[in-house]
Amino acid sequence: MEFKDLSEKEQNLVIASKYNLLRDNAIFLKNKGIEACRDDDRFDLKGMKITDDAIELIESGIKQLIDYRGLSFDRSFEDLTVGGFYYFMYMFRFERRRQLATDFKTYTMDSMLMKNSVTGDEMWLANKVAKISDEEIEKFKKKE
């Protein structure tokens, strides 16, 4: 997916949120590999344990970032899980500032305001996940 293929609304979201800075880092990480980026200040990988499951998650997340996923409910991230999403975004030095979950019949749309801990830039991102139980929501509320 190229920028020019996005709707005007989505292009405006990319520009306003500086999404391309995050996307460029995803492309860099994809091209160089995780181990080559461990000491790169664009990422927070130094103490991170990278399992085979984590590699699958990272590869999926990178592909979705490059395809401009996460911009809205219509272009949300998918199949990252709530915890997987935070793990993935932490690598790019993003932390959660605010979270809103919207339940639908078969899934939950998790919307998060994420803040880059280095630049201070903030952006809303959407992550479509399997329906989240009330118990799971309470668990994440306690982490705040």
Side-chain angles (χ1 to χ4, degrees), residues 24-123:
D24 289 346
N25 284 342
I27 292 168
F28 184 87
L29 183 61
K30 178 184 176 189
N31 291 337
K32 295 291 183 181
I34 294 167
E35 290 308 315
C37 293
R38 279 220 185 255
D39 294 323
D40 191 310
D41 289 339
R42 286 176 274 200
F43 309 101
D44 195 352
L45 296 167
K46 288 184 178 83
M48 197 174 249
K49 182 178 179 182
I50 310 288
T51 63
D52 289 341
D53 288 342
I55 289 171
E56 285 182 35
L57 173 88
I58 293 164
E59 288 173 352
S60 174
I62 286 172
K63 181 180 183 304
Q64 292 184 63
L65 270 175
I66 292 170
D67 286 341
Y68 291 99
R69 305 300 295 189
L71 290 169
S72 65
F73 280 16
D74 295 331
R75 293 198 56 75
S76 63
F77 286 104
E78 294 185 6
D79 303 320
L80 295 184
T81 74
V82 174
F85 174 82
Y86 291 126
Y87 175 89
F88 179 68
M89 292 305 294
Y90 180 82
M91 291 177 20
F92 293 94
R93 300 189 175 275
F94 277 87
E95 56 193 36
R96 179 184 61 171
R97 303 293 291 159
R98 190 168 173 206
Q99 179 177 21
L100 303 169
T102 306
D103 285 322
F104 294 91
K105 190 172 186 171
T106 58
Y107 64 92
T108 298
M109 190 61 73
D110 199 19
S111 301
M112 291 82 38
L113 178 62
M114 303 299 290
K115 181 177 181 177
N116 185 292
S117 61
V118 176
T119 66
D121 292 330
E122 293 183 334
M123 69 175 72

